[in-house]
Amino acid sequence: MTRPAGTAEPSTIEPVDPRAALHRLRTEVAKAVVGQDAVVTGLVIALLCRGHVLLEGVPGVAKTLLIRTVATALDLGSKRVQFTPDLMPGDVTGSLIFDPHTAAFTFREGPVFTNLLLADEINRTPPKTQSALLEVMEERQVSVEGERRPLPDPFIVAATQNPIEYEGTYPLPEAQLDRFLLKLTVPLPNRDEELGVLRAHHAGFDPRDLAAAGVRPVADAADLAAARAAVGRVHVAEPLFGYIVDLCRATRNTPALELGASPRGATALLNTAKAWAWLAGRDHVVPDDVKAVARPTLRHRLRLRPEVELEGVGVDAVLDTVLATVPTPR
């Protein structure tokens, strides 16, 4: 059987506890990327929930290096697509190519045939190409001439957006943003972390050579499959179902928002809370798990009223108010 293009080689990693392996991921990623533990945890949660991630950060905060390092540490394949105004759907999904030697059309796989796809500056490509990628994200397959071609498993998209430059962009509409499981903010490093970056580069660190940096696989697809099964068994008490629904309904009734969280957002919040609880070593969800993942799970699903946005109020601040006012179950 031929291995799908863009996926990792069969793993030789010794079987370990999947939770312990995923916790060791932070240590491996830190060998190449400084100060992004929260983003790494978000990517792991996305892999556990089979969801996709929207990364927002200014240029130069190592978003591409982060994805490559996570993929290496998880023994997964990764590819990067730079989204531009002239990018066509077939450039992303693949297309039929005529072979003059056989006088037949053959399918040439696009970069989506991988495990972790970095869609760099997704808002720089027109809606037609955006939609092609988002369809792949939802269906996890490519259909060409009536033939369905499944993508490798696991498969997630990490799409980036520049939060400060909007000229020449095609912002994703809310209905498409809602299909991302998480929106993670990639922050600038603090002073000590930035000093660490400079020292590493001065010592010869090459971001294109992760092996030289000592990054090695600490988990693989089998560990992720076992972890997903364990997350699926995490218990959720009935009051917590009501708490999640009440949080989402509160966003729909908040005067500061003209668009609140959809039922898909409530489902996403349930799944990310279960993954967070499992990573924390518990087999059940507590209210603090829901609160811990509420911002990255819901922030991109909400739209501020224009007058509120002009006042400088952010979505996270509105979510903080919702979390503080909705009664927490005991």
Side-chain angles (χ1 to χ4, degrees):
M1 181 176 178
T2 303
R3 182 171 58 88
T7 58
E9 295 286 349
S11 175
T12 58
I13 300 173
E14 292 295 325
V16 294
D17 171 41
R19 185 189 285 120
L22 293 178
H23 278 302
R24 283 162 47 195
L25 179 67
R26 289 191 184 92
T27 304
E28 287 302 306
V29 172
K31 293 177 180 178
V33 182
V34 177
Q36 299 294 354
D37 284 355
V39 182
V40 173
T41 300
L43 289 169
V44 170
I45 288 175
L47 284 162
L48 292 175
C49 298
R50 292 183 172 89
H52 307 285
V53 175
L54 191 61
L55 299 173
E56 189 169 88
V58 299
V61 289
K63 295 186 289 292
T64 301
L65 178 61
L66 176 64
I67 298 299
R68 289 181 53 241
T69 308
V70 169
T72 299
L74 290 176
D75 203 29
L76 299 175
S78 68
K79 291 184 180 178
R80 174 181 175 271
V81 179
Q82 179 64 52
F83 278 72
T84 57
D86 60 347
L87 197 71
M88 299 297 291
D91 298 330
V92 177
T93 61
S95 56
L96 291 174
I97 304 296
F98 182 74
D99 186 347
H101 298 291
T102 61
F105 285 92
T106 59
F107 180 70
R108 179 178 294 173
E109 293 182 344
V112 295
F113 287 86
T114 188
N115 299 123
L116 272 72
L117 177 69
L118 177 63
D120 217 353
E121 294 189 293
I122 188 175
N123 56 337
R124 288 211 172 275
T125 200
K128 184 176 182 179
T129 305
Q130 289 179 4
S131 297
L133 176 63
L134 290 162
E135 182 180 4
V136 169
M137 290 163 53
E138 186 71 17
E139 304 296 333
R140 298 182 185 274
Q141 65 181 21
V142 172
S143 296
V144 178
E145 295 296 322
E147 183 178 350
R148 297 177 178 178
R149 294 173 170 86
L151 299 181
D153 184 37
F155 168 73
I156 72 166
V157 171
T160 71
Q161 287 191 141
N162 184 337
I164 60 171
E165 190 176 357
Y166 295 103
E167 185 176 352
T169 63
Y170 303 85
L172 293 173
E174 280 70 20
Q176 294 179 344
L177 285 171
D178 199 32
R179 297 188 182 277
F180 285 92
L181 179 74
L182 300 169
K183 180 181 179 182
L184 304 175
T185 301
V186 185
L188 288 165
N190 61 36
R191 187 176 187 276
D192 290 339
E193 291 167 347
E194 197 163 0
L195 283 170
V197 172
L198 293 185
R199 293 189 183 106
H201 280 266
H202 177 66
F205 169 69
D206 184 355
R208 291 170 292 275
D209 190 357
L210 295 178
V215 179
R216 61 183 181 85
V218 294
D220 59 14
D223 291 316
L224 281 174
R228 286 172 174 174
V231 169
R233 295 191 294 269
V234 171
H235 176 69
V236 182
E238 189 63 32
L240 283 170
F241 288 118
Y243 181 53
I244 291 171
V245 168
D246 290 343
L247 285 174
C248 292
R249 291 179 67 84
T251 65
R252 300 168 202 161
N253 299 321
T254 299
L257 298 174
E258 64 180 13
L259 180 68
S262 68
R264 183 189 285 121
T267 302
L269 186 54
L270 170 66
N271 292 332
T272 55
K274 290 170 65 176
W276 181 275
W278 182 81
L279 286 171
R282 280 180 276 100
D283 62 356
H284 62 282
V285 174
V286 298
D288 282 348
D289 298 324
V290 178
K291 293 178 180 180
V293 295
R295 295 171 190 83
T297 306
L298 298 180
R299 59 166 62 113
H300 56 295
R301 306 172 195 272
L302 312 179
R303 186 168 64 198
L304 291 167
R305 293 191 182 278
E307 61 271 22
V308 174
E309 196 168 7
L310 286 172
E311 292 173 0
V313 178
V315 168
D316 280 7
V318 176
L319 274 172
D320 288 343
T321 301
V322 169
L323 289 168
T325 54
V326 173
T328 303
R330 297 184 180 275

